[in-house]
Amino acid sequence: SGADDRAEVVQRAVCSGIRDALGFERVCALVADSDGHLRPVATAGWDPEDPALQISLNVRDFERIMLPDFEQQGCYLLEHED
Protein backbone atom coordinates (compact mmCIF):
# COMPACT_ATOMS: atom_id res chain seq x y z
CA SER A 1 0.00 0.00 0.00
CA GLY A 2 1.03 3.62 -0.27
CA ALA A 3 1.55 4.02 3.48
CA ASP A 4 3.80 0.94 3.57
CA ASP A 5 5.83 2.27 0.63
CA ARG A 6 6.26 5.66 2.31
CA ALA A 7 7.28 4.01 5.59
CA GLU A 8 9.88 1.93 3.73
CA VAL A 9 11.31 5.05 2.07
CA VAL A 10 11.54 6.83 5.43
CA GLN A 11 13.14 3.81 7.12
CA ARG A 12 15.79 3.56 4.38
CA ALA A 13 16.45 7.31 4.64
CA VAL A 14 16.93 7.01 8.41
CA CYS A 15 19.43 4.16 7.97
CA SER A 16 21.30 6.11 5.29
CA GLY A 17 21.33 9.21 7.49
CA ILE A 18 22.74 7.28 10.44
CA ARG A 19 25.39 5.68 8.22
CA ASP A 20 26.42 8.96 6.65
CA ALA A 21 26.28 11.13 9.79
CA LEU A 22 28.13 8.71 12.03
CA GLY A 23 30.46 7.19 9.44
CA PHE A 24 29.22 3.64 9.85
CA GLU A 25 29.84 1.14 7.06
CA ARG A 26 26.48 -0.60 7.52
CA VAL A 27 23.21 0.10 9.32
CA CYS A 28 20.21 -2.17 9.75
CA ALA A 29 16.88 -1.19 11.31
CA LEU A 30 14.98 -4.03 12.98
CA VAL A 31 11.32 -4.09 13.98
CA ALA A 32 9.65 -6.59 16.28
CA ASP A 33 6.77 -8.57 14.82
CA SER A 34 3.71 -9.30 16.94
CA ASP A 35 5.38 -12.51 18.16
CA GLY A 36 8.51 -10.63 19.29
CA HIS A 37 10.82 -11.75 16.48
CA LEU A 38 13.01 -9.01 15.06
CA ARG A 39 13.13 -8.58 11.30
CA PRO A 40 15.11 -6.15 9.18
CA VAL A 41 12.94 -3.42 7.65
CA ALA A 42 15.61 -1.15 6.20
CA THR A 43 19.34 -1.11 5.60
CA ALA A 44 22.15 1.08 4.34
CA GLY A 45 25.40 -0.42 3.09
CA TRP A 46 24.00 -3.95 2.96
CA ASP A 47 22.76 -6.03 0.06
CA PRO A 48 19.18 -6.83 1.16
CA GLU A 49 19.81 -10.48 0.27
CA ASP A 50 22.97 -10.73 2.41
CA PRO A 51 22.81 -13.90 4.52
CA ALA A 52 23.97 -11.87 7.54
CA LEU A 53 20.54 -10.23 7.54
CA GLN A 54 18.82 -13.60 7.89
CA ILE A 55 19.08 -13.36 11.64
CA SER A 56 16.90 -15.09 14.16
CA LEU A 57 16.59 -12.78 17.13
CA ASN A 58 13.70 -11.95 19.33
CA VAL A 59 13.25 -9.00 21.63
CA ARG A 60 14.53 -10.96 24.65
CA ASP A 61 17.71 -11.97 22.81
CA PHE A 62 18.32 -8.36 21.85
CA GLU A 63 17.79 -7.13 25.41
CA ARG A 64 20.64 -9.41 26.52
CA ILE A 65 23.15 -7.61 24.30
CA MET A 66 22.03 -4.15 25.40
CA LEU A 67 24.62 -4.06 28.16
CA PRO A 68 26.33 -0.99 29.59
CA ASP A 69 29.63 -2.25 28.11
CA PHE A 70 28.25 -1.67 24.60
CA GLU A 71 26.56 1.67 25.28
CA GLN A 72 28.05 4.82 23.84
CA GLN A 73 26.03 7.99 24.34
CA GLY A 74 22.69 6.19 24.31
CA CYS A 75 23.51 3.88 21.37
CA TYR A 76 24.46 0.24 21.59
CA LEU A 77 27.31 -0.50 19.22
CA LEU A 78 28.51 -3.99 18.43
CA GLU A 79 31.51 -4.79 16.30
CA HIS A 80 31.64 -7.72 13.95
CA GLU A 81 34.54 -10.02 14.65
CA ASP A 82 35.99 -11.70 11.54
Side-chain angles (χ1 to χ4, degrees):
S1 78
D4 290 339
D5 292 341
R6 286 189 299 274
E8 186 177 321
V9 168
V10 170
Q11 291 162 343
R12 280 196 317 257
V14 168
C15 285
S16 293
I18 291 169
R19 180 194 61 197
D20 296 345
L22 300 178
F24 294 154
E25 184 177 333
R26 298 180 193 149
V27 175
C28 179
L30 303 168
V31 171
D33 287 334
S34 60
D35 63 359
H37 285 93
L38 298 171
R39 64 179 176 82
V41 293
T43 63
W46 291 92
D47 175 341
E49 301 301 319
D50 191 314
L53 296 175
Q54 306 306 314
I55 58 175
S56 179
L57 280 176
N58 62 42
V59 173
R60 286 188 181 159
D61 294 330
F62 196 73
E63 288 172 345
R64 284 187 226 149
I65 63 174
M66 294 183 70
L67 301 171
D69 292 349
F70 300 122
E71 183 181 358
Q72 294 183 21
Q73 299 180 4
C75 296
Y76 293 85
L77 307 173
L78 305 174
E79 292 191 28
H80 175 73
E81 293 184 25
D82 292 319

